Amino acid sequence: MGPVSALPPILEGQRRWQLAALIGFALGQALAAGLIAFATRDVFEALRTSANAPLAALAGIVAAGFAIAILRYGERVVAERLGQDYTAALRLKIFLHLSRVPARALAQRRVGHLSMRFVGDLSSVRNWISLGLARLVSAAIVLPATLFVIILLSVDLAVAAGLPVLLGGTAMAVVAFRLRGTHKRLRSRRARLAADMTERVVHAPELRLLGRMETERRHLSSRTGAMVACAIERARGVAFLRVVPDVLTGVVAGCVFFTAFRTGISGALAAGALAALALAIRQLGDLAGVWDRNRAFIAARDRCEALLAAPTLPVPAACAQEDLTDAPPELRFEATVAPGLQEIDAAARAGTKVAIIGGNGAGKSTLLALAAGLEHPTSGRVTLAGRDVAGLQCNERHRAIGYLSGRSPILAGSLRRALAMGAAERPADSEIEACAEAFGLGPVLHRLGGLDGIIAEAGRSLSSGEVRRLLLARVALSGSRLILLDEPDDALDAPARTLVENWLLATDATALIVTHDMELARKLDEVWLMARGEVVASGPPGDLLPAKNHAPAALERTRNTINSTL
């Protein structure tokens, strides 16, 4: 299996410069705060001692106010860019990682939970970086700088203002620390509820038909109640964090004025200190949401790391090997063992059409997934034209292998894309339309208004038979030299089965076809009979399957022979 992936580093590439810009914005705000404090002191001194307006000091206050506004605007824009850039990198890394996870392991994960990774968790990551980390950097620079400015104005005022700010900050830290468990529980309950809803909403009409609506309503109501209770508990704590700075505004002002009266400090110095403190308390208010976003980020980070820790298929090493030719390849299973499969030794000669038959759970689909490179054997290997399938580069596998299963993707979008997405190079529209017509999709073309017509996600706007025809046409358009079809005749009517049969017999590609249609199996070159994860028999159809005109007794004996292996 491939190595475990780690989260992308935050300080990588252009994100280093974005963080440096945030530090620069914070330093600028600190300098502006100092200018406002000293200019305010000078204005109040002039009010007491001079009849002339201190134009320079007033201009300084106005300029510093504009500077702070511009700097905070720039900080917000750059912080959002930093958060979005990092989230985009993480989103892409998770997607690429999941593309290398074995198909069986990915199928076992709930769609709702995977959706939460790409929506809820990535939103938490972005919020932490753009609204949490950026403000933490700003506060870490502006708050000490503001305190230094007040010390320059008056040590007594710095002590008077610093003590309540310290106590308020400590109270905020204690409450925030106690919120960490609440936040984790809320994230977990919200994720479970979202997964439950995602799983059920697409099946709501059928759940009603099954008489499950009351049961599902109670289940969702119970989950919702637990989530709401936890959300209210968190809201109380967050509300406390947000009101502390408001309380501090009055407390700090009272302490500063009291100290000024008691020590005889001039009103000008007190006014300058309060001007600086106003900016400091504003930063403290910004910090109120930082811890909350940090806890959300930690929960999201842990979930993303767990997802990135899922074992992946091995990454092919870049080495000089002869490229696959356009000739039909030979496919070999050499002592191949995988979950659900015993040791498999079998080969499909170049250009051979092999029918794979057997009971449910015999390992037929797993065998095709191994051949497609969607699974990796625990021992042994699978080779294509002498090359290990696991060692094929992505573009080689794309060009060589056409794969159809019950989980083959149909993305929301145009009919053109749905048909041509398996081709290494986009075919001409005329070729796509001809192939669609050949596979009986003429009515779909007409109904949707041509290749530009839109198909719903997972082909839900098509019938099950039309979905199967579309996927078969996609494989045919791909021009693949190895065709792997998992029950291609499923949901097809008799004319469509004939189309599939004629196509398979006409192509010179090597093909493995999982099927329960004995009529189709009889017309192929070879049959592999599977049971208990093994190929228990292989050979020409005439040796393993009864002829269509066999007497009932002979047919029954053949069935008994097959059933005894199952």
Side-chain angles (χ1 to χ4, degrees):
M1 294 294 178
V4 173
S5 297
L7 267 64
I10 293 179
L11 298 182
E12 185 178 62
Q14 64 179 356
R15 293 194 291 274
R16 294 193 188 96
W17 300 108
Q18 290 164 351
L19 183 62
L22 291 178
I23 293 173
F25 288 137
L27 289 171
Q29 291 178 65
L31 290 174
L35 176 59
I36 287 177
F38 285 103
T40 301
R41 180 201 61 184
D42 293 344
V43 168
F44 274 82
E45 285 286 352
L47 286 173
R48 185 175 65 85
T49 61
S50 174
N52 297 322
L55 297 180
L58 291 173
I61 292 174
V62 172
F66 271 103
I68 289 175
I70 293 171
L71 290 167
R72 286 181 69 87
Y73 174 83
E75 174 187 280
R76 184 69 192 91
V77 171
V78 172
E80 183 66 21
R81 186 180 297 278
L82 174 62
Q84 292 287 357
D85 183 76
Y86 181 78
T87 304
L90 179 56
R91 180 186 297 113
L92 183 60
K93 184 156 192 174
I94 292 175
F95 178 71
L96 294 177
H97 182 87
L98 291 178
S99 73
R100 297 193 297 268
V101 172
R104 179 191 295 265
L106 191 59
Q108 292 172 351
R109 293 180 178 269
R110 295 183 68 182
V111 174
H113 283 167
L114 289 176
S115 299
M116 283 296 293
R117 301 296 83 78
F118 284 99
V119 180
D121 287 339
L122 289 186
S123 293
S124 296
V125 170
R126 183 195 63 79
N127 285 337
W128 160 242
I129 294 176
S130 61
L131 299 175
L133 181 62
R135 290 179 177 176
L136 184 62
V137 169
S138 180
I141 293 173
V142 173
L143 284 174
T146 303
L147 179 61
F148 178 72
V149 168
I150 298 173
I151 290 174
L152 292 178
L153 290 171
S154 167
V155 174
D156 289 337
L157 292 180
V159 173
L163 185 57
V165 169
L166 178 61
L167 292 176
T170 301
M172 291 174 65
V174 170
V175 172
F177 183 78
R178 295 182 62 182
L179 274 178
R180 60 179 183 171
T182 303
H183 196 94
K184 186 175 181 179
R185 288 194 302 275
L186 176 60
R187 297 275 312 171
S188 177
R189 292 174 184 178
R190 184 183 293 159
R192 285 200 299 268
L193 180 60
D196 286 346
M197 286 297 298
T198 302
E199 183 178 25
R200 287 162 174 77
V201 69
V202 295
H203 301 297
E206 292 185 39
L207 289 172
R208 178 177 293 278
L209 181 62
L210 292 169
R212 292 280 305 179
M213 293 307 294
E214 182 59 27
T215 300
E216 299 304 332
R217 185 194 65 78
R218 288 197 302 268
H219 173 79
L220 293 174
S221 295
S222 175
R223 286 286 174 89
T224 300
M227 188 271 289
V228 168
C230 200
I232 292 174
E233 181 183 351
R234 170 180 167 269
R236 290 195 183 101
V238 172
F240 176 84
L241 294 178
R242 295 191 184 281
V243 301
V244 167
D246 296 333
V247 173
L248 282 178
T249 300
V251 172
V252 168
C255 290
V256 167
F257 285 131
F258 178 79
T259 302
F261 276 113
R262 184 178 180 184
T263 60
I265 294 174
S266 69
L269 288 177
L274 287 175
L277 283 169
L279 297 174
I281 292 175
R282 184 177 183 180
Q283 289 286 341
L284 199 61
D286 289 342
L287 283 178
V290 167
W291 179 268
D292 189 52
R293 293 187 177 96
N294 177 259
R295 300 317 304 179
F297 165 73
I298 289 173
R301 180 202 64 193
D302 292 345
R303 293 179 186 277
C304 291
E305 286 180 340
L307 193 59
L308 290 172
T312 61
L313 299 170
V315 178
C319 55
Q321 296 194 58
E322 186 176 346
D323 291 339
L324 294 173
T325 67
D326 289 335
E330 179 184 56
L331 176 69
R332 300 188 67 89
F333 297 89
E334 302 176 1
T336 304
V337 178
L341 288 182
Q342 306 298 324
E343 189 170 296
I344 303 290
D345 281 292
R349 300 183 305 278
T352 300
K353 313 298 184 294
V354 178
I356 304 176
I357 64 174
N360 294 332
K364 307 183 296 299
S365 297
T366 302
L367 197 69
L368 287 196
L370 286 168
L374 299 177
E375 299 282 356
H376 188 65
T378 53
S379 64
R381 65 176 189 156
V382 183
T383 64
L384 188 66
R387 296 271 306 276
D388 195 320
V389 170
L392 295 177
Q393 299 296 323
C394 184
N395 62 331
E396 291 181 301
R397 186 181 290 112
H398 178 204
R399 292 177 178 274
I401 301 172
Y403 176 72
L404 180 153
S405 77
R407 296 190 180 94
S408 293
I410 297 180
L411 305 180
S414 70
L415 178 60
R416 177 187 294 102
R417 183 178 72 166
L419 285 164
M421 68 186 301
E425 297 179 1
R426 174 66 62 83
D429 281 2
S430 58
E431 183 180 352
I432 298 174
E433 289 178 346
C435 187
E437 293 280 358
F439 279 88
L441 292 172
V444 175
L445 280 166
H446 178 74
R447 187 171 75 241
L448 297 180
L451 295 177
D452 290 323
I454 300 300
I455 296 177
E457 177 188 0
R460 285 199 293 268
S461 56
L462 305 177
S463 71
S464 56
E466 288 170 340
V467 166
R468 187 62 59 165
R469 288 173 184 260
L470 186 153
L471 294 174
L472 286 164
R474 178 192 295 174
V475 175
L477 276 170
S478 71
S480 303
R481 311 311 292 151
L482 173 65
I483 295 174
L484 305 170
L485 306 177
D486 196 347
E487 299 192 34
D489 46 1
D490 183 44
L492 294 181
D493 54 20
R497 291 193 187 96
T498 302
L499 287 173
V500 174
E501 179 183 306
N502 293 338
W503 167 54
L504 287 173
L505 296 177
T507 181
D508 63 348
T510 307
L512 267 62
I513 304 99
V514 171
T515 183
H516 293 288
D517 185 351
M518 294 301 105
E519 294 302 317
L520 174 61
R522 287 190 189 95
K523 296 177 181 179
L524 302 182
D525 301 317
E526 192 172 348
V527 171
W528 293 357
L529 176 60
M530 293 194 67
R532 302 180 302 277
E534 298 179 272
V535 177
V536 296
S538 62
D543 294 348
L544 293 179
L545 302 176
K548 189 174 182 180
N549 59 355
H550 267 189
L555 178 60
E556 186 63 29
R557 284 196 300 272
T558 305
R559 285 176 176 167
N560 290 338
T561 300
I562 295 175
N563 289 337
S564 67
T565 66
L566 301 179

